[in-house]
Amino acid sequence: MKNYTTLPEKYQTLQYRQSTENFRNIVKETYPALDPDSWVLLTRLLYPKREPDTNNIIVDGIPELLLKKFSQEVQALEWSGYNYTTNQARVTLEPNWPDHIKEAIQSERTKLFDQDKVYFITGNRVTPYRQYAMMNEIKRTIPMLTDMPQSQTWLTYMNTLPSNSFSKLIKENGPRTLEKIFSLEEDQEHQWHVFSGIVDTIYQSYKPAEHSVRLVPGSEHHIGLLKREVRRELTNGWHEMDLKHSQLAIGAKLWNVPSVEQFLRKGGNMWNLIMSVTGETDKDLIKRCVYGLMYGAGKKTLEGRLRENYQKFAGISFIQDLFAARQVRLKQIEKDNGALNCYGQFLSVSELTKTMPLFKAKLSILAQLSQAVEMKLLDPVLELAMQNKDDHGFTIMLYQYDGLSIAVSEPSRVEYWKNKISIAVKKQANALGVFTGVEWK
């Protein structure tokens, strides 16, 4: 497909968004002044990417002149400029849509799997040929090289998975996933936005994270961005695993925290311990706080998350030991002007301070060291997958930092591969001196 707009490249993929013909006709009749760039901006507003905290619609890269023109000729908008102090992108408030457009939007969300669809911007019919051309165009633009040699093999593998694996998944599990989204008490719109984009574009890709060996989702329409319960509906039939207490175990090893290592060696569950001491019942919140501590979160950040439970959290001896060890490690990183990661790559403070303050450079290196161990723990799984691509093997379908989802070709061999993967990761963990292992969900 040719470029439809003069707007930045990240907006080109909006031309692949689909709708029913009826919905497009309602929009076209309501807004007769639409030109190609205005169609793209309207698509962004109707299929929004939002700021997590404010729910405002992100329109970074959209020129001020287009916003003014659109607001005058199409639909009134209120928008902000780019905030250079906080690095916040340009955003718009939710437009005050006419009532019939609001009703059409709500109706459209139930018709995600209607057969008679068009591409929303162009009005062209969705056909197998056009979908094939679309996927080839998306594949052409995805990154295949990274500055981090440790993650190059991962990037190549994940970005060359066959697209029919995902189209089959959507066909089999799509309707039940949509039902799950509609049953959510909160975040329905965002989850629908992510999922509908997956349905429209199908192909899943990754890109290198900045200053890290990690890979991150290559677009805003990625399975990894779905809430856990929604993702598990869509990926029913895959097998999900993660590394138990991974960042905690890695930090205890890298920062030399014997108390935490001993607790994990004995099979202790840190999340249950913290929840019982603090009275906090949200396990995901506890994890975010501990991982925040691992990556440099300060007292103010943690107090904001835990509120009245913060003092109990801060009083736990393991937390105190981790915080003290973190401070020692940060001082050592500054003294040595960096640190060597588990792949033998030196991470330089001086290099990072060319683009960020010293304290951020130290925290970045602290995180990068842990993330490198995290990836190295999973390297044996990638090796197994690459060695067993035939009908008797398995495929890594989803990468999520300290976890993976796999598809096994033969159902009778699921337990075989689960056991094989668990053993391989445990062997690697032992070699690295990290007290973790695989948990299957």
Side-chain angles (χ1 to χ4, degrees):
M1 290 186 178
K2 64 181 181 65
N3 288 350
Y4 188 76
T5 176
T6 60
L7 297 178
E9 185 174 345
K10 60 186 166 187
Y11 289 101
Q12 299 295 341
T13 55
L14 289 175
Q15 67 183 300
Y16 307 135
R17 296 310 307 255
Q18 300 171 18
S19 73
T20 59
E21 187 172 20
N22 181 59
F23 179 67
R24 188 179 188 277
N25 286 339
I26 292 171
V27 170
K28 188 177 179 181
E29 290 169 7
T30 305
Y31 303 114
L34 288 166
D35 61 18
D37 282 349
S38 294
W39 266 107
V40 175
L41 176 52
L42 179 63
T43 306
R44 174 78 297 173
L45 297 171
L46 289 170
Y47 301 85
K49 179 181 179 182
R50 297 184 184 272
E51 283 186 323
D53 297 332
T54 67
N55 214 35
N56 291 332
I57 301 170
I58 298 172
V59 288
D60 53 326
I62 300 288
E64 185 95 5
L65 285 175
L66 175 57
L67 289 167
K68 288 180 179 179
K69 179 175 180 290
F70 187 94
S71 187
Q72 292 168 358
E73 300 178 3
V74 182
Q75 169 71 45
L77 292 177
E78 293 182 53
W79 65 90
S80 71
Y82 180 83
N83 190 323
Y84 290 93
T85 303
T86 60
N87 290 327
Q88 287 179 304
R90 186 194 300 277
V91 297
T92 73
L93 299 179
E94 181 73 23
N96 185 20
W97 303 111
D99 288 343
H100 72 283
I101 291 291
K102 291 178 184 177
E103 292 172 6
I105 291 171
Q106 292 304 315
S107 175
E108 183 70 9
R109 287 183 180 158
T110 67
K111 300 174 182 176
L112 189 56
F113 294 101
D114 278 21
Q115 296 299 310
D116 190 22
K117 302 291 280 290
V118 298
Y119 294 105
F120 180 70
I121 290 177
T122 65
N124 292 331
R125 294 274 176 200
V126 175
T127 65
Y129 173 80
R130 286 187 173 125
Q131 285 293 87
Y132 179 77
M134 172 201 72
M135 282 190 284
N136 282 340
E137 183 63 21
I138 291 174
K139 288 178 184 179
R140 186 187 64 79
T141 61
I142 63 174
M144 293 303 296
L145 295 175
T146 172
D147 294 332
M148 297 287 186
Q150 305 92 332
S151 51
Q152 182 61 65
T153 307
W154 277 99
L155 184 67
T156 302
Y157 180 92
M158 298 308 300
N159 280 353
T160 53
L161 292 173
S163 55
N164 63 354
S165 301
F166 300 105
S167 56
K168 179 183 177 184
L169 190 75
I170 292 167
K171 184 178 180 180
E172 292 178 351
N173 298 334
R176 63 190 285 173
T177 305
L178 188 60
E179 287 181 15
K180 173 59 72 173
I181 290 171
F182 289 147
S183 74
L184 296 175
E185 293 184 1
E186 56 183 27
D187 204 28
Q188 266 195 35
E189 188 209 37
H190 174 64
Q191 291 298 299
W192 185 91
H193 165 69
V194 175
F195 179 57
S196 65
I198 293 168
V199 173
D200 288 352
T201 57
I202 302 173
Y203 196 73
Q204 300 288 286
S205 67
Y206 295 82
K207 61 184 178 183
E210 188 176 13
H211 304 307
S212 176
V213 298
R214 280 179 167 179
L215 306 181
V216 295
S219 78
E220 63 197 68
H221 308 128
H222 197 279
I223 295 173
L225 299 177
L226 293 170
K227 291 176 73 109
R228 183 188 296 114
E229 59 266 41
V230 177
R231 184 183 71 244
R232 288 180 178 169
E233 286 292 335
L234 179 58
T235 61
N236 182 51
W238 291 358
H239 306 279
E240 183 179 345
M241 56 149 281
D242 63 19
L243 299 171
K244 186 177 182 180
H245 290 115
S246 60
Q247 290 303 313
L248 195 61
I250 292 167
K253 171 63 180 176
L254 294 183
W255 304 349
N256 187 26
V257 190
S259 60
V260 175
E261 288 191 295
Q262 185 176 4
F263 179 80
L264 296 177
R265 185 188 295 115
K266 291 180 178 179
N269 188 307
M270 186 63 75
W271 318 129
N272 290 346
L273 171 70
I274 296 174
M275 289 168 70
S276 66
V277 171
T278 63
E280 177 58 61
T281 58
D282 187 341
K283 186 176 180 180
D284 287 338
L285 175 61
I286 292 297
K287 285 186 174 183
R288 287 198 302 274
C289 289
V290 173
Y291 291 154
L293 174 67
M294 308 302 293
Y295 287 128
K299 177 182 176 182
K300 186 176 180 181
T301 299
L302 296 174
E303 275 185 325
R305 292 176 182 174
L306 288 166
R307 301 184 185 278
E308 67 275 7
N309 291 324
Y310 170 74
Q311 291 300 332
K312 294 177 184 177
F313 175 82
I316 297 171
S317 61
F318 293 133
I319 299 300
Q320 294 173 348
D321 291 347
L322 283 167
F323 182 77
R326 185 187 82 178
Q327 299 309 101
V328 170
R329 190 71 178 109
L330 285 170
K331 288 179 181 178
Q332 191 65 46
I333 288 171
E334 183 175 1
K335 179 181 177 182
D336 296 342
N337 191 40
L340 203 66
N341 72 13
C342 62
Y343 290 100
Q345 178 188 21
F346 185 74
L347 309 174
S348 168
V349 169
S350 298
E351 193 63 30
L352 288 175
T353 51
K354 292 177 182 178
T355 57
M356 64 181 72
L358 175 61
F359 81 95
K360 284 192 175 181
K362 292 190 296 181
L363 290 177
S364 174
I365 289 174
L366 191 76
Q368 288 184 62
L369 293 171
S370 292
Q371 290 162 3
V373 176
E374 173 189 80
M375 177 164 276
K376 194 158 189 172
L377 285 165
L378 293 175
D379 281 347
V381 187
L382 180 60
E383 292 172 14
L384 278 173
M386 294 176 68
Q387 292 166 4
N388 296 275
K389 294 182 178 180
D390 59 19
D391 292 341
H392 304 295
F394 70 94
T395 304
I396 300 171
M397 301 303 303
L398 185 63
Y399 162 86
Q400 290 188 288
Y401 310 143
D402 63 350
L404 304 168
S405 292
I406 66 169
V408 180
S409 303
E410 292 183 359
S412 62
R413 293 177 68 82
V414 168
E415 293 307 315
Y416 169 83
W417 283 117
K418 281 186 177 181
N419 185 54
K420 192 89 169 174
I421 289 168
S422 297
I423 291 171
V425 172
K426 190 61 180 176
K427 182 178 179 181
Q428 182 82 317
N430 290 341
L432 294 170
V434 178
F435 294 102
T436 188
V438 168
E439 283 189 316
W440 291 97
K441 303 301 181 181

